[in-house]
Structures are given as C-alpha cells and as structure tokens.
Amino acid sequence: MRSIAKRFISVITILAMVGCVLLFVPTNTEAAAAPAQVTIIGTIQQTRNYYDINGAVCAYCFFPATLQAYNIGGKMVELTECGAGTTPELLGTNDLSSYVGVTKAYTGVLAKSNTAPFSYVFCISSVADAQPYTVEDMNAYLTALGFETTPSGLPGSSEYFIGCFGWNHTVTFSYSTQGNSYGQFNAYILKEDFSPDFGLDSYRFGSTAKAQQVAQKLALYGTGKLSRDKLKKYLNTL
C-alpha cells in the first residue's frame, strides 16, 4: 500500500510541475491559428448576381489553373474550385468584376465556406501577373500520368483540345478549353473489344484542375490502384 501511495504522490507531483511549466511558457494561440497566405494561379468567374436595396451584389468563384493540395483548417484538400471573396482593405476593392476570365496569380487565405455551393472560399488580398496554363503544360501533365495524347491548338494558345487513350486504349479522356483555367472534359472506360463500358454520359464543365483530377483518377484505375466501383462512384459525383 505504501508503494502505491508513493507512486500516486509522484504522479501528482509531476503533473503539478508540468502545470507550472506551462504557466510560464509564452503562448500565441492566435498566431498559431492564423491561416497562411497562399498564391494560386487561376481565374475568377462570376456565378450570379444578387439584388438588394443598395443595388446589385455579385457572387464569384475561383478556378485554379492546376491541381494542387492545400492545408485548409488542418486538412489537406485537393482544390478544384472554390468561392471567391476579397480582403477590401488590402486589395482596395470588393469588386472582382475586372478579374473575371483573366488568369492571374491571386494571393489570399483559404478557409471553409459557410454558404453553398462551395465547400471552401478564397479570400483574395492581392493580384499579380502570371503566365497562363498552356496546351503544352496540360499535354505534359497527361503524358506523365501515362496517357497517349493528341493535342490540337496553336502553341501557347488558351484555346485547345486534348484527347487521350491509355492502358491498351481502354481508358479514354478528353479536355477542351477556351480560357486556360476552365473548359469541358469527358471520361469513359471501354471493354477489351473497345465497346462502351461505363463513364460520363456527356461532357462536364469545370476547371482545368478538375479535369486534371479526373485524369488522375482514370490513371489510377488504369494502373490497378483504384477499383472499378470507386471510379464509378467518383464519376457519379461529377
């Protein structure tokens, strides 16, 4: 019993000492919790107009030019599109209309969104010039995944089409764009005799980042790292 009591007293003493140490360790929880700024090359799009007694209020979304994962609220997220807002005191305006359809390097903070339809929002504080995403860039991305590509379009043009085949020509993907950061994509799986198996029933509209994510999923399926059921489930969300 004495041994148990001694151990109990020792534990209490250690906990008390730790508590004292913590009291004297300087903390800056606000700085630790502050989200980091990121710079993303992409395009602003206007989603709709709202009207109130003070006039029109516009809503915007942001399309990243490439697929990247970002730390948002402690979670790594592959960002393919998000809501867009501003930090007016830093950007000098809350009107993003002059940036609609323009590919730039946008700097700001990513956070969870409280309003539909986007899960995340990009609060923009500054804008700088950036090189637009090209057919050469997209072609390099797709061939690195393992696709055989057939790009068409002028070199350096923002308007292009890329069709792909992979894995015995049974995995098909295509993407066309007129604006660097967004366009139309399609994906389909063929049987060994090249008859239709499953996939998207029509083209889908989305960011280049979204198209890259779709191509990535198809490549994982082609290499056997993604099951048929999981690919079907993913395509059904598009």
Side-chain angles (χ1 to χ4, degrees):
M1 291 297 292
R2 287 183 180 180
S3 176
I4 294 174
K6 285 182 179 179
R7 290 179 183 177
F8 179 74
I9 292 171
S10 297
V11 171
I12 294 299
T13 303
I14 291 170
L15 290 175
M17 290 174 65
V18 171
C20 291
V21 171
L22 290 175
L23 287 175
F24 290 99
V25 173
T27 59
N28 191 349
T29 54
E30 290 185 2
Q37 283 198 332
V38 295
T39 298
I40 310 173
I41 296 175
T43 302
I44 302 291
Q45 290 298 310
Q46 185 172 324
T47 56
R48 62 176 294 185
N49 289 332
Y50 297 88
Y51 295 93
D52 59 22
I53 57 174
N54 295 319
V57 178
C58 298
Y60 302 96
C61 68
F62 181 78
F63 286 159
T66 58
L67 182 65
Q68 300 286 341
Y70 297 93
N71 190 331
I72 308 176
K75 178 182 178 182
M76 293 304 294
V77 176
E78 279 192 346
L79 195 67
T80 59
E81 64 270 326
C82 61
T86 69
T87 308
E89 61 272 20
L90 295 177
L91 191 62
T93 179
N94 60 3
D95 180 9
L96 289 170
S97 59
S98 62
Y99 299 111
V100 170
V102 180
T103 300
K104 297 277 189 179
Y106 296 87
T107 298
V109 172
L110 292 168
K112 290 184 178 179
S113 175
N114 295 321
T115 57
F118 299 108
S119 300
Y120 303 97
V121 65
F122 189 25
C123 192
I124 298 166
S125 57
S126 65
V127 182
D129 290 336
Q131 290 295 321
Y133 199 71
T134 66
V135 61
E136 293 87 357
D137 295 326
M138 188 62 163
N139 186 54
Y141 180 86
L142 293 170
T143 53
L145 288 177
F147 286 102
E148 301 171 25
T149 64
T150 54
S152 61
L154 296 175
S157 172
S158 63
E159 184 173 348
Y160 61 84
F161 170 85
I162 297 183
C164 298
F165 285 99
W167 297 273
N168 196 29
H169 286 191
T170 59
V171 178
T172 70
F173 173 78
S174 65
Y175 178 63
S176 59
T177 179
Q178 296 181 349
N180 297 310
S181 297
Y182 56 92
Q184 292 182 312
F185 56 85
N186 204 346
Y188 217 91
I189 303 299
L190 304 176
K191 297 178 181 178
E192 291 298 325
D193 62 358
F194 305 118
S195 61
D197 193 353
F198 69 93
L200 300 178
D201 57 359
S202 63
Y203 278 91
R204 301 289 193 269
F205 179 83
S207 65
T208 305
K210 189 68 174 181
Q212 289 182 341
Q213 186 184 67
V214 174
Q216 188 182 83
K217 298 290 185 183
L218 292 173
L220 289 172
Y221 173 79
T223 57
K225 296 177 181 177
L226 186 69
S227 70
R228 178 188 179 90
D229 288 343
K230 286 185 177 180
L231 178 60
K232 276 187 171 183
K233 185 177 180 180
Y234 170 76
L235 293 177
N236 287 336
T237 67
L238 302 175

